[in-house]
Amino acid sequence: MPSSWSRRRFLQGSTATALALGAVSTASFPSAAASEDDEFAALRAKWRDLILGTDFDPASEPFRTQLATLGSTAAGHLAAMAPATGSLWPDLVWADPEPDTDAESYAYSSKISGSYSRLSTLAQAYAQPGTGLTGDPALLNGIVTGLDHINSQVYNENTTRYGNWWDWQIGAPQNLMDVCVLVYDALTETQIAGHCTAVDAFVPDSAVGAYTGTSTGANRVDLCRAMMVRGVVGRSPAKITLARDALSPVFPYVTTGDGFYADGSYIQHTSIPYIAGYGTVLNDGLGRLFALLRGSSWEVTDPNSALFLDTIEKAVAPFLYNGLIMDNVAGRGISRSAADDHTRAHGLLGSILLLGQGASPGQEARWRALVKGWLERDRHEPATSNLNLSIVRLAPLRALLADTSVEAAPEPVEHRIFASMDRVTHRRPGWAASLSMASQRIAHYEYGNGENARGFHTGAGWLSWWGDDFGETQYSDAFWPTVDPYRLPGITASRKPLADGEGGNWGNPKPNAAWVGGATDGEYAAVGQHLKGLSSTMSARKSWFFLDDSVVCLGAGISAADGYAIETTVDNRALGTSGSPALTVDGETQPNTQGWTGKFGNASWAHIEGHAGYVFPGGAAFNAVREERTGAWRDINTGGSTTPLTRRYLTLWTDHGFLPTNAGYAYVLMPGASARATAHRAQDAGRLRILANTARQQGIQSPHLGVTAVNFWEPGSLGLLTASAPAAVLVREHRDGTATVCVADPAREATALDVVWHRPVREVLSQSPAVTAARTGHGLKLTFGDLTGAAGATHTLRVRLG
């Protein structure tokens, strides 16, 4: 269409054109299945429901407001539509003057998928009830005209792909096929064939020919979705079959690269933990495709699909807490202003309900109870009040919340180590914590597409935590654009200035460190990280011992030769725009004026009102600051707003100096503890013993819990434990005269390992297959074979004490 095309002529002619195409009124708008009696029509009708949602009252809130907003948005897009050479909307120009695959061309290719996305908005406004544009002939004509314009101009078999592959193979075809389903009856066979041919050109059969490159994990599911719905629209059994069968490599657990691992880890982009990003996309995509094909000739029957369904409880649920999904598995998504840890979870909750329809009755019942619990406990940003959530996700969540037959499941009490992605979760009554580390297997952070420019220390032992009714907004209120990126909670880092995107676009830099991980009995844990700084000579041995009401945090061997200050951040609490909780140190309340700083030479404990207590065994020096920090989302994401945001922080940190050699730290984090409880713990010398805090071993003993835990960085003995090779060991004595012994090889380098517990043991009640010999008597000697292939897993024994 020429650039002089008249928007007025288009609008004036739209009614007659739409009537000629068979547009119908709102009152008689039919389903696709009502017009054609074949299986493809049934599939189109089902996909239509998956796009639009079902079982909601369009006249009730919040749906009435959502639908009205959808109509208003669509009306604005329709009014602004001006087909011209190189664009459908003036602000979405896809014509690239120098088309190639560099970053500059990404901006142009994104306008193609963006244009189809707007057409999808128009099509939903046309198909949904209550939008004010439902069944509107002018709107329908605009949609069809827009589809034809993009097809004739750029998205066709004669165009050479430029910019970002994602726009051509996922973003554009998914939105295009969704639109085709919603306005199918208005399209001629020629138009349908043209759109399908375009999808075939950019998503050929070869796109799913091998499970590699950009065709793995969530990307693979997205490719299959584009291909499968193209098969539905184009009535191609072969395309649907190919897309369904191409899902199969996603189901089995992997041992390297992208996908789900047996321990619940999920990796995308080779080395990035991504349950809250690509994992969410994968869940949503598979949920939709399972639902689409269920009961059809192409139903998914691969027995390995059951493995994927198991990941809801093994991999997803551990990172959902009171309605939020933890940022340390969101990759570069943390730099996007459009979502936070709460809103990022909302769509996922809806996806879990959708997947439940294809799970066993027991699984579905458990998942519905879990989701209801998360919905009820999210007091900060409830999913059922999120008007930005699509109706297809919001409607079932609201229905579940109102379903009195479903009893909400409580948060579990458990500890999980995800050794294949260097992440840990710890859940206790009233609070939860999660640990983020990096190794030679897992990157410090991800930077790409101009996103997450300052996330470089998120793998340096970042310890995040939340309470049942406190700390829920820690990462939700402009945290990432305003926080000091060198002072994330729990990390040890050099103040050496790093460039935005340090390591390069998609560099995904990984440290040359193997010993990262730990051992757990499912409730308590010994976790360690051999930390090596990004673009720094800084190195450290960090340990965390996760107990009943606290986390014992130890650091040793902290050394650096760069000449920059090295710091360990005890905590960095986000206080919003006006928070000023009291800081108490050894019983004295400190000033709460902004800009205040304090230095403490030998403190026993500190407490932040409404947040947590911190105990420093034996006394420690630390610094504190109250500050207001200003930043903008554009600082960390090139697509973000430039609007300045100011937030308050209260930070506690230990300064190790500019050239530290074997420096260390020790503190105990007590989430939710009162000042009185914190002071009492500091005086209770018998509750916790630090057995060692060196670069050779770090270990603790908690007599009241019966727990002894040691991270052996090298062979040696500590207390009653001996290890012949580096290992993590946790022993827990029970009141019934038994004990649990947990051993792991986090470095994955032990070709042989002996662990001795110098404690009389009568018999072994159960043991891991990894134990090749177990000798009892005056002590327990465990012999392990080659553990290099055990992926850092914990090996557990149950013994009866002598």
Side-chain angles (χ1 to χ4, degrees), residues 299-323:
E299 184 161 3
V300 176
T301 58
D302 187 332
N304 283 330
S305 63
L307 293 175
F308 169 75
L309 293 173
D310 288 343
T311 64
I312 295 300
E313 289 168 273
K314 290 182 62 175
V316 178
F319 290 92
L320 282 160
Y321 179 72
N322 288 345

Side-chain angles (χ1 to χ4, degrees), residues 22 94 98 158 174 190 268 270 281 309 328 435-436 443 500 610 645 668 689 744 766 780:
W94 60 65
E98 297 181 358
N158 298 315
Q174 283 191 359
T190 299
Q268 194 79 35
T270 307
V281 173
L309 293 173
N328 63 11
L435 180 63
S436 175
D500 286 354
L645 302 167
V668 181
R689 291 181 56 207
S766 64
L780 174 68

Side-chain angles (χ1 to χ4, degrees), residues 211 215-222 224 243-254 258-261 266 268 282-283 286 290 302 304-305 307-308 311:
Y211 196 67
S215 188
T216 61
N219 287 333
R220 177 60 159 248
V221 174
D222 276 342
C224 290
R244 179 203 61 190
D245 293 347
L247 292 172
S248 289
V250 177
F251 303 144
Y253 298 141
V254 301
D258 294 349
F260 282 103
Y261 289 69
Y266 179 77
Q268 194 79 35
L282 188 150
N283 276 280
L286 281 178
F290 283 0
D302 187 332
N304 283 330
S305 63
L307 293 175
F308 169 75
T311 64

Side-chain angles (χ1 to χ4, degrees), residues 241-499:
T241 300
L242 177 62
R244 179 203 61 190
D245 293 347
L247 292 172
S248 289
V250 177
F251 303 144
Y253 298 141
V254 301
T255 56
T256 60
D258 294 349
F260 282 103
Y261 289 69
D263 66 2
S265 299
Y266 179 77
I267 296 295
Q268 194 79 35
H269 293 173
T270 307
S271 59
I272 306 298
Y274 244 133
I275 288 171
Y278 286 91
T280 299
V281 173
L282 188 150
N283 276 280
D284 179 74
L286 281 178
R288 288 172 185 254
L289 299 184
F290 283 0
L292 172 67
L293 299 181
R294 191 173 302 125
S296 76
S297 301
W298 298 276
E299 184 161 3
V300 176
T301 58
D302 187 332
N304 283 330
S305 63
L307 293 175
F308 169 75
L309 293 173
D310 288 343
T311 64
I312 295 300
E313 289 168 273
K314 290 182 62 175
V316 178
F319 290 92
L320 282 160
Y321 179 72
N322 288 345
L324 64 82
I325 188 161
M326 301 173 186
D327 273 357
N328 63 11
V329 287
R332 68 186 193 279
I334 60 175
S335 70
R336 297 169 185 163
S337 61
D340 58 39
D341 51 358
H342 290 263
T343 58
R344 197 177 292 119
H346 295 169
L348 176 57
L349 300 185
S351 296
I352 292 173
L353 294 184
L354 180 62
L355 276 168
Q357 297 176 21
S360 69
Q363 282 178 314
E364 183 176 21
R366 291 195 305 274
W367 298 357
R368 288 176 65 80
L370 286 170
V371 172
K372 188 168 188 179
W374 292 320
L375 291 175
E376 289 185 348
R377 292 189 298 271
D378 191 344
R379 303 172 182 87
H380 173 56
E381 293 180 86
T384 50
S385 299
N386 183 358
L387 297 185
N388 292 319
L389 196 62
S390 68
I391 291 175
V392 76
R393 289 290 172 261
L394 185 60
L397 291 177
R398 290 180 68 89
L400 173 63
L401 195 60
D403 188 347
T404 58
S405 69
V406 178
E407 183 177 349
E411 291 289 352
V413 174
E414 66 173 15
H415 185 94
R416 297 284 304 274
I417 294 176
F418 300 87
S420 296
M421 64 178 182
D422 295 346
R423 296 295 187 267
V424 162
T425 60
H426 188 65
R427 305 167 97 96
R428 300 300 303 169
W431 60 278
S434 190
L435 180 63
S436 175
M437 302 173 287
S439 68
Q440 61 189 20
R441 303 171 294 274
I442 299 300
H444 287 285
Y445 80 118
E446 181 187 49
Y447 170 74
N449 284 352
E451 297 183 307
N452 201 29
R454 298 175 187 171
F456 21 70
H457 292 310
T458 49
W462 166 33
L463 181 61
S464 49
W465 58 268
W466 308 262
D468 269 358
D469 57 2
F470 60 95
E472 291 186 351
T473 62
Q474 169 72 13
Y475 300 101
S476 304
D477 183 16
F479 177 87
W480 294 107
T482 59
V483 72
D484 183 341
Y486 298 87
R487 288 180 177 167
L488 301 181
I491 71 169
T492 299
S494 169
R495 296 296 303 189
K496 176 183 178 181
L498 299 179

Side-chain angles (χ1 to χ4, degrees), residues 760-792:
V761 171
R762 189 189 314 172
E763 62 177 324
V764 174
L765 301 176
S766 64
Q767 69 182 52
S768 164
V771 178
T772 59
R775 188 188 70 196
T776 59
H778 294 295
L780 174 68
K781 181 179 181 180
L782 304 176
T783 299
F784 295 85
D786 189 339
L787 296 178
T788 57

